[in-house]
Amino acid sequence: MNLILLGPPGAGKGTQAHWICEKLGIPQVSTGDILRAARKDQTELGKQAETYMVAGKLVPDEVVIGIVQERLKETDCLEGYVLDGFPRTANQALALKETLAANNTQINAVISINVPDDLLVTRLCGRRVCSQCGASFHISFSPSKTEGVCDQCSGSLMQRKDDTEETIRERLNVYHEQTKPLINFYKGENVLQSIDGTGEISDVWSRINNILGK
Ligand code: AMP
């Protein structure tokens, strides 16, 4: 199954993608994670992406499309994958469609997670991520047992550089202008399923699980 998780920053795409991947035994392909890893390693890609990411802007289409095309060629993607954070523009969606069609394959489902902007800002401002394993926490909604320490691997928790209020507002503007129109694109492709992304993580997961089937 080839799946896309569509939604604004802070909708919970990463968390839900992780659970979907565990259930279906397929990999999570997150362009944000790939770009953050490249930044950490200070590769050419990482250096190129850094200015865009810190400002809350999108990394240019040709760069991100190339990353995804290469990643989807890897053997672990043969049985399917969950795309998390890609596509984010009409050009990316069209390039993906063409790439898949050239390999006689397609996207089977797009799950669009809806969350109001105000709640997204609250979620992102309080988000803390583990610098080692990437697990995500929230200072009020899902705090770690010990402040600043990851429950899963004891790594130190940090705030993402783009989780500041100004950058969050910019990322939301970018979402509304460039990514939200993809909801209509995938409606037209008859693969769109929309869900309410508010409430507990486990509630959102049950809604997704219902779509995936038992
Ligand atoms: P995310 O972790 O998905 O919120 O992505 C973090 C940042 O990485 C975004 O704000 C963008 O700067 C960049 N990024 C991730 N995915 C894409 C994409 N599909 N297109 C362009 N930029 C992206």
Side-chain angles (χ1 to χ4, degrees):
M1 166 119 76
N2 302 332
L3 260 167
I4 292 175
L5 278 189
L6 197 61
K13 299 187 296 298
T15 305
Q16 299 297 336
H18 181 76
W19 289 27
I20 298 172
C21 292
E22 281 213 335
K23 178 183 166 101
L24 301 180
I26 54 179
Q28 174 179 359
V29 175
S30 158
T31 41
D33 285 350
I34 294 171
L35 291 167
R36 272 185 292 279
R39 273 176 67 187
K40 203 171 173 189
D41 295 344
Q42 281 292 293
T43 63
E44 271 314 304
L45 169 67
K47 287 181 203 159
Q48 204 183 345
E50 184 143 351
T51 22
Y52 298 99
M53 293 174 80
V54 172
K57 310 260 185 219
L58 292 184
V59 174
D61 282 339
E62 60 274 19
V63 176
V64 187
I65 290 167
I67 293 174
V68 172
Q69 283 172 334
E70 287 309 308
R71 179 66 187 88
L72 297 187
K73 281 184 199 160
E74 289 177 34
T75 49
D76 63 334
C77 291
L78 280 173
E79 300 298 321
Y81 42 80
V82 178
L83 283 168
D84 155 20
F86 181 94
R88 264 175 150 104
T89 65
N91 278 341
Q92 293 179 18
L94 289 172
L96 177 66
K97 188 178 173 180
E98 281 170 19
T99 306
L100 297 187
N103 292 301
N104 293 317
T105 171
Q106 64 198 5
I107 292 298
N108 306 108
V110 176
I111 300 177
S112 166
I113 308 179
N114 305 315
V115 179
D117 279 7
D118 285 350
L119 179 56
L120 294 169
V121 174
T122 311
R123 281 187 183 179
L124 291 169
C125 283
R127 175 162 72 177
R128 298 292 181 271
V129 290
C130 175
S131 52
Q132 278 184 42
C133 74
S136 195
F137 298 86
H138 189 281
I139 49 172
S140 329
F141 303 148
S142 55
S144 56
K145 291 192 188 97
T146 309
E147 199 187 318
V149 181
C150 178
D151 288 352
Q152 289 171 26
C153 74
S154 302
S156 53
L157 301 184
M158 330 174 335
Q159 186 166 28
R160 268 172 54 169
K161 277 189 191 146
D162 57 352
D163 279 348
T164 59
E165 182 147 3
E166 196 190 344
T167 310
I168 291 165
R169 295 274 173 207
E170 177 58 22
R171 287 160 66 203
L172 289 177
N173 287 340
V174 168
Y175 169 77
H176 285 290
E177 278 173 20
Q178 304 203 53
T179 311
K180 208 172 171 191
L182 299 185
I183 293 178
N184 272 335
F185 174 80
Y186 286 115
K187 229 182 237 167
E189 303 271 305
N190 289 319
V191 285
L192 188 83
Q193 305 260 11
S194 285
I195 60 149
D196 173 9
T198 64
E200 298 288 324
I201 292 174
S202 55
D203 294 336
V204 180
W205 168 239
S206 324
R207 292 171 204 139
I208 293 181
N209 211 4
N210 283 339
I211 292 174
L212 298 176
K214 303 287 168 204

